[in-house]
Amino acid sequence: MVLSLLDIRNYFCILNRFLYGEKRNLSGENINGIMYAAKKYMVPQLVRHCILFLIQKIAPATVCATLQLANELDEKSLKNSCLSFIKSISFDSLRQADLNVVDQQTLLQIISLHELDCEEIDVYEACVAWAKSNCEQNHKKPSVTNIRKALGPVLEEIRFPLMSSSDF
């Protein structure tokens, strides 16, 4: 039997050290890869350490990317911690550049929170900024049509009646 380690080669040594009881070297730079490797090779103790590390490091600049990771790796406790954090400081979270790296489903998850502590115009502006970034990443002109296509079902979650006419 041959194991392919191409997807975790940079993290295999840390994973191995953890399995043999040595110190774990978790950092913001390696946490995503280590957590992926720990999930892939079913090392629940290391997954728990990664989740605790990420929860302790949640900040407005990283919460959206952490939520994306929680969704990708199906980590409900981490997801719930991120969503609670976003609810508590949503205006700051929506203004962070980190929102531009999430996928459409994660954006939809964020703006579907009815407890967001911000004006709906802030939600709208954050979504438009995300869509423009998405267009640029896909080498498309950020036209109105392309922005609408990028937003897709996200557009339906923006509560336009809560905005004033002066917002438009």
Side-chain angles (χ1 to χ4, degrees), residues 47-143:
V47 171
R48 278 193 297 277
H49 285 293
C50 291
I51 289 171
L52 288 173
F53 177 87
L54 287 166
I55 288 172
Q56 291 171 350
K57 301 290 183 183
I58 290 178
T62 61
V63 68
C64 295
T66 303
L67 177 60
Q68 173 91 21
L69 178 68
N71 287 334
E72 289 170 358
L73 298 179
D74 194 32
E75 284 300 330
K76 290 175 179 54
S77 64
L78 182 57
K79 174 183 154 181
N80 291 337
S81 294
C82 290
L83 292 173
S84 293
F85 187 84
I86 290 169
K87 288 177 197 176
S88 70
I89 53 122
S90 60
F91 184 75
D92 289 337
S93 298
L94 290 173
R95 292 205 178 264
Q96 296 297 320
D98 161 71
L99 184 64
N100 294 335
V101 300
V102 301
D103 62 15
Q104 185 187 65
Q105 281 305 113
T106 302
L107 178 66
L108 186 59
Q109 188 177 30
I110 292 168
I111 69 157
S112 295
L113 295 171
H114 295 293
E115 301 91 353
L116 288 176
D117 185 25
C118 62
E119 299 292 323
E120 201 64 21
I121 187 66
D122 297 322
V123 173
Y124 172 76
E125 288 172 352
C127 290
V128 170
W130 176 88
K132 287 178 180 178
S133 176
N134 183 274
C135 287
E136 290 170 9
Q137 290 171 9
N138 292 311
H139 308 290
K140 294 181 180 177
K141 180 182 175 191
S143 65

Side-chain angles (χ1 to χ4, degrees), residues 134-162:
N134 183 274
C135 287
E136 290 170 9
Q137 290 171 9
N138 292 311
H139 308 290
K140 294 181 180 177
K141 180 182 175 191
S143 65
V144 173
T145 303
N146 287 338
I147 288 172
R148 281 189 183 155
K149 283 181 185 176
L151 287 172
V154 172
L155 199 55
E156 296 169 16
E157 289 297 319
I158 299 171
R159 297 172 295 207
F160 290 103
L162 296 179

Side-chain angles (χ1 to χ4, degrees), residues 32-48:
N32 292 10
I34 292 170
M35 189 161 159
Y36 169 77
K39 290 280 290 190
K40 181 175 181 175
Y41 292 103
M42 294 180 271
V43 185
Q45 301 89 343
L46 184 54
V47 171
R48 278 193 297 277

